[in-house]
Amino acid sequence: MAGLIASLPSIPYPPEQDGWFSPVTATLDWCEENYVVTQYSAEIINTLTNVLFMYLAVKGIRNCLKNGHDTVFLVAFIGYLLVGTGSFLFHATLKYPMQLVDELSMIYTTCLMNFATFSYGKSRQYSTMLAIGLISLALFITLYYHYLQDPTFHQNAYAILTAIVLLRAMYVMEVNIRPQFRSREREAAKPRPHGGAKGVQEQEDVRDKAILGTMWKMIAFGLSIFLGGFAVWHLDNVYCSQLITWRRQVGMPWGFVLEGHGWWHLMTGTGAYYYIVWGVWLRHCLNYRQDEYELVWPNIWTMPEVVKRRGAMGNGRVNGSVKKEL
């Protein structure tokens, strides 16, 4: 394989050099060599891979506006767009202010998703106190991170916030949708347009179990991509010198494939998009609107989205989701 790659036409890597935005002021400088492709972008692969973030964010924003999803998810997608844009500018310039835009927008968007998850079904007083607490936490992380300028602190804070919101959302999903776990209060609050007939209830239980099955497949797929991105990011940091050697041996553009941080952008961007879409669908299910909205996810090669149903079940739609060809 190495011989085959070496025989392909390639362009030698030039030496690392200064560029348009020199000098570097960020506290992080990733494994991609600086200004080897163009003087107008310090890390061109790490820069351009953020286009996926921005595309998926715009896709999510348009979907929220078109289908009337809760405002909190519209704001989440706007935050997701800010993450991608900030990362684009950070890797293009390697300037400290752009680093803060990139990294802190990740914290703010995750805090917003924590609010969406923990405030559902709670009183206005509880939601207000939760909002104040999360804003205070985000402010503390901002100021303390700026004081420390230690990337490890940001990475740990982001990982903890992400794990908390993910586990909480899984718990909320199970105890509110799975029939055997639903509380009496949850059952009593359910709209009964058909008079609560036993046959109707059984059909709804079958529908909800099918929805849960699809949700868990969606979670597993999105989480696998997200954690896979973390693994590639770690390997990129640990074996950076070896990766640079291999890139220079195979030349451009083949060496671009070995840019691990670029793969981190593509994989975590996709995983984060899956999580927000799952949150949108979960919120509609919690609001007993399973028959009004459906998840459109034909197969694993397409990006899922939640849309208003256009008609009765049919044309490949089963129990609130489109059949998947996995």
Side-chain angles (χ1 to χ4, degrees):
M1 179 62 72
L4 175 62
I5 295 177
S7 67
L8 295 173
S10 62
I11 302 171
Y13 275 84
E16 198 171 22
Q17 56 193 309
D18 290 334
W20 187 265
F21 300 103
S22 295
V24 172
T25 61
T27 61
L28 288 169
D29 192 352
W30 302 100
C31 189
E32 182 176 358
E33 295 181 90
N34 297 342
Y35 299 107
V36 295
V37 176
T38 172
Q39 64 174 327
Y40 300 109
S41 176
E43 299 174 343
I44 188 64
I45 303 302
N46 289 348
T47 299
L48 294 180
T49 46
N50 284 290
V51 172
L52 179 66
F53 262 95
M54 293 183 276
Y55 165 74
L56 293 177
V58 172
K59 179 182 177 69
I61 291 169
R62 292 181 61 184
N63 180 263
C64 286
L65 294 174
K66 180 179 179 180
N67 293 281
H69 303 318
D70 285 2
T71 303
V72 68
F73 296 109
L74 173 62
V75 177
F77 274 118
I78 293 173
Y80 179 79
L81 176 60
L82 184 60
V83 171
T85 304
S87 185
F88 184 99
L89 296 173
F90 168 41
H91 289 288
T93 65
L94 290 180
K95 293 295 186 182
Y96 181 65
M98 294 301 101
Q99 178 183 349
L100 291 181
V101 173
D102 172 25
E103 296 179 328
L104 292 177
S105 59
M106 295 167 62
I107 297 294
Y108 302 155
T109 302
T110 308
C111 283
L112 182 64
M113 292 305 296
N114 269 274
F115 176 79
T117 302
F118 281 91
S119 66
Y120 178 79
K122 303 297 184 180
S123 67
R124 176 171 295 183
Q125 182 180 8
Y126 177 93
S127 299
T128 301
M129 295 303 296
L130 176 64
I132 293 173
L134 288 171
I135 291 172
S136 300
L137 176 62
L139 182 61
F140 166 76
I141 292 174
T142 299
L143 297 176
Y144 195 59
Y145 179 48
H146 181 60
Y147 168 74
L148 287 180
Q149 296 193 8
D150 181 1
T152 303
F153 171 74
H154 163 265
Q155 292 157 11
N156 290 337
Y158 176 68
I160 292 171
L161 286 170
T162 300
I164 289 173
V165 69
L166 185 63
L167 293 173
R168 172 64 180 180
M170 290 177 180
Y171 171 79
V172 169
M173 177 184 72
E174 280 290 325
V175 301
N176 286 281
I177 299 178
R178 191 171 297 280
Q180 58 264 42
F181 293 159
R182 283 197 297 252
S183 65
R184 293 181 179 179
E185 291 78 10
R186 175 75 182 170
E187 288 289 350
K190 179 188 295 185
R192 303 284 182 179
H194 302 289
K198 181 178 180 181
V200 172
Q201 182 63 58
E202 291 176 351
Q203 291 177 7
E204 290 179 349
D205 289 347
V206 170
R207 175 203 62 192
D208 290 346
K209 288 180 180 178
I211 288 175
L212 278 170
T214 305
M215 280 187 173
W216 276 114
K217 290 176 183 177
M218 187 179 182
I219 293 168
F221 186 70
L223 190 58
S224 297
I225 296 174
F226 195 88
L227 293 178
F230 267 101
V232 173
W233 173 79
H234 177 70
L235 293 174
D236 189 64
N237 291 334
V238 173
Y239 298 103
C240 179
S241 59
Q242 182 62 60
L243 289 169
I244 291 175
T245 300
W246 287 345
R247 289 179 207 140
R248 289 192 167 273
Q249 288 176 349
V250 301
M252 298 184 289
W254 318 113
F256 296 161
V257 178
L258 298 176
E259 296 289 357
H261 198 78
W263 285 107
W264 145 269
H265 288 157
L266 297 176
M267 297 172 75
T268 57
T270 301
Y273 174 83
Y274 267 72
Y275 171 69
I276 300 176
V277 173
W278 167 49
V280 171
W281 196 28
L282 175 60
R283 178 61 62 90
H284 286 307
C285 291
L286 293 176
N287 290 334
Y288 305 104
R289 304 183 74 180
Q290 296 96 316
D291 294 326
E292 298 178 41
Y293 287 89
E294 62 184 346
L295 176 73
V296 177
W297 187 32
N299 53 64
I300 62 174
W301 309 112
T302 58
M303 292 296 176
E305 58 182 353
V306 179
V307 301
K308 286 184 178 179
R309 297 180 63 88
R310 290 190 172 88
M313 293 183 184
N315 299 322
R317 294 181 176 85
V318 178
N319 299 322
S321 67
V322 172
K323 286 182 179 178
K324 304 186 301 304
E325 300 168 359
L326 298 179

